Amino acid sequence: MRTDASAPWLVVGLGNPGPGYAANRHNVGFMVADLLAERMSGTFKRAAKAQAQVLEGRIGAPGPANRRVVLAQPMSYMNLSGGPVTALRDFYKVPTANIVAIHDELDIDYGTLRLKLGGGDNGHNGLKSMTKAMGSDYHRLRFGIGRPPGRMQVADFVLKDFSAAERKELDYFVDRAADAVECLVTEGLERAQSAYNS
């Protein structure tokens, strides 16, 4: 599916709002969005038209690859992400194929990245909500967090902070994920997949 070069992109970091969730595995989408905001030299502001924080800016070097981007963090809880994302899509007139959801992924190893367009939600409540609201034809950046150890429940695992061992590499992986989003937006899915899918 080709994307319209003149249309804006909507890059959504998925997570739960509030300081109690900030360092959870489930909030890695927020972490990547925070780094992208820093790179765009901007700060998030409360959106007037949606329950979300947004930052409008550009990604890419000056020239034909430079893209207008709306960076967003829904301020609903994870399982209600579809409402704010759909409201932002409609307000900014973003084609669904120009939406990127950045989210944690249980079924791939910690720190592994996978970019894809469309597909199922694999039990992820944020994706489930987005797909129910607007269909599945949006991009995803899956950030691997691995499976829970032993008999730990999935819900407990994703709502725990990254372990001390994981935190040693977290900044590197978040940085690489931000690079992958920039590559996707400026150079397209195929190029980004070949550079970042591992």
Side-chain angles (χ1 to χ4, degrees):
M1 185 182 296
R2 294 187 60 77
T3 55
D4 176 357
S6 64
W9 282 77
L10 175 57
V11 176
V12 183
L14 294 180
N16 286 309
Y21 296 102
N24 288 180
R25 291 182 178 93
H26 220 21
N27 270 44
V28 75
F30 272 23
M31 296 173 199
V32 176
D34 284 336
L35 179 57
L36 286 165
E38 202 178 294
R39 290 183 180 185
M40 290 164 70
S41 305
T43 52
F44 284 105
K45 293 180 173 56
R46 197 74 187 207
K49 303 289 179 187
Q51 193 181 355
Q53 298 191 123
V54 296
L55 166 61
E56 295 179 61
R58 300 193 82 84
I59 284 179
N66 189 264
R67 298 283 181 265
R68 186 171 150 233
V69 170
V70 179
L71 190 58
Q73 294 174 327
M75 290 288 107
S76 59
Y77 284 91
M78 179 72 87
N79 61 345
L80 300 172
S81 300
V85 176
T86 305
L88 292 170
R89 178 199 67 177
D90 294 347
F91 179 72
Y92 288 103
K93 298 181 170 50
V94 179
T96 303
N98 277 28
I99 296 173
V100 186
I102 309 165
H103 65 93
D104 57 304
E105 176 61 63
L106 287 158
D107 284 340
I108 49 180
D109 292 339
Y110 174 60
T112 299
L113 301 177
R114 296 272 165 76
L115 284 149
K116 62 185 283 199
L117 174 62
D121 56 56
N122 207 22
H124 191 285
N125 288 331
L127 297 182
K128 200 175 286 184
S129 177
M130 283 179 62
T131 297
K132 185 177 178 190
M134 61 186 189
S136 63
D137 292 332
Y138 54 90
H139 289 85
R140 302 100 193 278
L141 173 61
R142 303 158 70 201
F143 186 112
I145 59 169
R147 301 293 306 181
R151 294 170 179 263
M152 187 187 288
Q153 293 296 309
V154 164
D156 295 333
F157 179 70
V158 299
L159 293 175
K160 280 202 181 332
D161 291 358
F162 285 100
S163 68
E166 287 168 336
R167 281 197 300 271
K168 288 177 183 166
E169 293 182 293
L170 184 59
D171 286 349
Y172 167 76
F173 290 138
V174 167
D175 192 68
R176 197 161 176 273
D179 290 347
V181 171
E182 290 178 344
C183 184
L184 169 63
V185 169
T186 58
E187 298 183 55
L189 179 60
E190 211 170 289
R191 172 79 185 89
Q193 284 175 325
S194 70
Y196 294 97
N197 280 13
S198 40

